[in-house]
Amino acid sequence: MKKVAIFMTAAILSTTCVLDATAASPKSEPLSTDLNSFDPANWNVSNWTNGGMFNCGWKPDHVTFKDGFMTLNLTKEESHGRPYTSGEFRSNKKLGYGTFEVRMKAAKGDGLVSSFFTYTGPSNGDPWDEIDFEILGKDTTKVQLNYFTNGKGDHEKLIDLGFDASEDFHVYAFKWTKGKIEWYVDGKLVHTAKGSGLPTHPQQIMVNLWPGINVDAWLKPFTYDGKKQAVYDYIKYTPEGK
């Protein structure tokens, strides 16, 4: 199934935004975290709900740091009007062209999504631009890639990983430059998108774990059978040319 929306605010407002074809990603400083602890100078944890297909609220206490890892914890606790609570982590700054990288282990289970992506949109005063890695819990031997430009997606690509992403840590990265996005898994190029219709606006780095609702054809129905966790070892951004 094609993903209909990522952010409720973006879904409502993106149609009112006109993409500036001349928008250029500014020069950005490198950003790296080994996730030993929370760094509020560069990162923040969410406390809200995205609504729509996201059947959880985000709460800061569901993002935990221990033994050099950050864990997003999904539990059966009501928050922000949703029946489940999970964690979302994002960079404070929007970042331009460069290489975005994470080492992570995904959650397994029907109805779940473990993510690593970049995003900006109307809530930031921008058109909706986004670049995705999404590991669907129904089949963690694959990863779904996608991008959105001014709210238009429908660029999904499902990649066979050759391993189970829920069993161990692997490195997922994409290189974003003007007119091209290259996605890599463990250093191997797995997909390339080219053309003038790619994202052009600086974006925040984001990771989250969530259960879906009303998207069973895409994710399969979610049934809670205990705490679910997506675990992150590090997140790294290297600006273009560095």
Side-chain angles (χ1 to χ4, degrees):
M1 173 177 175
K2 291 179 168 38
K3 189 166 63 168
V4 177
I6 286 292
F7 286 84
M8 181 161 51
T9 303
I12 295 170
L13 298 178
S14 64
T15 56
T16 68
C17 296
V18 178
L19 179 64
D20 178 2
T22 64
S25 294
K27 292 182 179 179
S28 305
E29 294 300 316
L31 179 61
S32 180
T33 178
D34 55 14
L35 299 174
N36 285 317
S37 61
F38 178 48
D39 172 18
N42 291 303
W43 302 91
N44 69 82
V45 289
S46 297
N47 189 7
W48 70 305
T49 182
N50 205 20
M53 70 179 73
F54 301 82
N55 200 23
C56 67
W58 317 111
K59 291 183 69 175
D61 64 1
H62 278 56
V63 182
T64 57
F65 298 84
K66 185 178 180 180
D67 299 329
F69 298 100
M70 179 182 73
T71 302
L72 306 182
N73 300 277
L74 171 63
T75 63
K76 193 174 183 179
E77 301 172 48
E78 184 177 348
S79 66
H80 302 286
R82 294 284 167 162
Y84 304 102
T85 303
S86 192
E88 182 176 79
F89 184 76
R90 65 175 75 189
S91 64
N92 292 333
K93 293 181 179 179
K94 295 183 291 183
L95 304 167
Y97 292 140
T99 300
F100 298 76
E101 180 179 319
V102 71
R103 186 171 184 262
M104 64 175 284
K105 181 167 61 173
K108 192 179 190 71
D110 289 352
L112 292 174
V113 178
S114 306
S115 73
F116 169 60
F117 63 106
T118 55
Y119 167 83
T120 194
S123 57
N124 293 331
D126 295 326
W128 175 10
D129 280 5
E130 180 176 336
I131 305 171
D132 296 332
F133 273 103
E134 292 179 311
I135 299 172
L136 312 185
K138 69 178 184 181
D139 184 357
T140 48
T141 67
K142 297 178 176 63
V143 63
Q144 181 175 287
L145 315 177
N146 199 5
Y147 68 90
F148 290 75
T149 305
N150 196 27
K152 179 173 172 43
D154 298 336
H155 307 291
E156 293 89 346
K157 179 70 174 180
L158 197 62
I159 301 295
D160 192 337
L161 293 170
F163 56 79
D164 188 330
S166 71
E167 292 182 351
D168 204 352
F169 290 91
H170 292 272
V171 177
Y172 306 88
F174 62 83
K175 184 177 181 181
W176 173 40
T177 57
K178 185 176 181 180
K180 184 163 66 172
I181 307 169
E182 298 174 322
W183 287 265
Y184 295 84
V185 176
D186 289 334
K188 179 183 177 182
L189 178 65
V190 296
H191 183 58
T192 301
K194 296 180 180 180
S196 59
L198 300 180
T200 58
H201 292 79
Q203 303 170 55
Q204 291 172 284
I205 298 173
M206 301 188 65
V207 299
N208 57 28
L209 169 65
W210 52 278
I213 185 170
N214 299 324
V215 284
D216 293 354
W218 177 35
L219 301 181
K220 291 188 175 181
F222 175 71
T223 301
Y224 187 81
D225 59 2
K227 180 191 290 188
K228 299 296 184 179
Q229 296 180 315
V231 188
Y232 296 78
D233 183 19
Y234 69 79
I235 299 173
K236 182 179 180 181
Y237 163 72
T238 304
E240 184 179 22
K242 296 292 182 73

